Each structure stands twice: as structure tokens, then as C-alpha cells.
Amino acid sequence: PRWHPHAGISDNNPAFRTKSPLMNNQGYAATIWRNVRKSNKPSLWRHALRTYDRMIQHAEQTKDVVAVPSTTTTTTTTPRRRLKIRPSTIHHEGALLACAKLGLWKRALEIYHKNVLKLKDSST
């Protein structure tokens, strides 16, 4: 069967042989939770944690990016949209559950404290 786009995964991927397609917040959450909820599958739990790390890295790279105008054949410029990833509670909970199942308690505490400090900073 051919691959078809799912909700949260981009269907426009010119480098499909070398890179996986871009995902939005919904796609990352679905991938993390799909792999975390499996019972007795440590390799899938590690994959969920790697997906979370990739999402955090992508979010930090695109945090301060402004839309760059792209010129077309006409004289007008249209802004190119950049996919912005904003990690939310569902992503952090999935990563915490993966850490708990793998026994990575120090890593779970790092994720927890980083997000608690972020919540405190945003509330003040």
C-alpha cells in the first residue's frame, strides 16, 4: 500500500527519500503517544523519547524565525509560512511516561523541572 498523508503530517516532502516529512504539534503528539502506550516495548518507548527530543530541537530552531518573503515572477512578494512547533502539556506528559517506563528518572525530572520553570516564568 502507498503512503498517504495523515492528520498532522505534511504531504509536501520533496526530499522524501532522505528525510521524514515535517510534523505539526498534532503529528508529534500522535507519534509520541502511539509509541508510549505500547506495553512491554522498550524500543518504541525510546523512539517516543527521540521524537520528543527532535520536536524540542525543531521548536528551538524555529522559535525566533520570522517569515521570509519569497519573490515570485510577479512584482509582489508573498510571505513563506514556517511551521512553528510549540510543545504543550501532552508532549511533555508523553515524554515523562516514556522516561518512567524506561526507568530514566533523572531525565524525567529534567523535563519536569524545565517545564515547571517555563510555566512559572509565563505566569509572572
Side-chain angles (χ1 to χ4, degrees):
R2 291 186 64 185
W3 181 86
H4 59 280
H6 298 279
I9 300 177
S10 172
D11 60 343
N12 182 13
N13 186 19
F16 68 95
R17 293 188 191 274
T18 57
K19 281 180 22 177
S20 58
L22 293 175
M23 288 190 277
N24 60 11
N25 288 334
Q26 179 187 5
Y28 277 115
T31 303
I32 291 169
W33 279 99
R34 182 183 318 115
N35 292 312
V36 165
R37 72 173 185 239
K38 307 292 183 182
S39 60
N40 205 17
K41 300 283 185 179
S43 61
L44 293 179
W45 302 336
R46 283 190 292 272
H47 180 66
L49 206 50
R50 283 193 308 269
T51 304
Y52 174 78
D53 292 337
R54 193 175 336 123
M55 180 197 66
I56 294 297
Q57 181 183 13
H58 184 69
E60 289 174 357
Q61 288 174 353
T62 61
K63 182 171 41 174
D64 299 325
V65 174
V66 179
V68 178
S70 62
T71 58
T72 58
T73 56
T74 63
T75 59
T76 62
T77 60
T78 56
R80 211 174 354 154
R81 289 181 45 187
R82 295 286 306 234
L83 185 62
K84 290 188 179 180
I85 303 298
R86 293 193 179 105
S88 64
T89 306
I90 193 165
H91 302 103
H92 303 307
E93 286 179 357
L96 288 173
L97 187 58
C99 288
K101 287 184 174 186
L102 289 168
L104 303 173
W105 298 106
K106 290 181 183 178
R107 176 73 195 279
L109 286 173
E110 287 174 10
I111 293 170
Y112 176 76
H113 287 300
K114 187 179 358 174
N115 294 308
V116 167
L117 291 176
K118 196 181 300 182
L119 285 174
K120 284 182 181 179
D121 289 342
S122 64
S123 66
T124 58

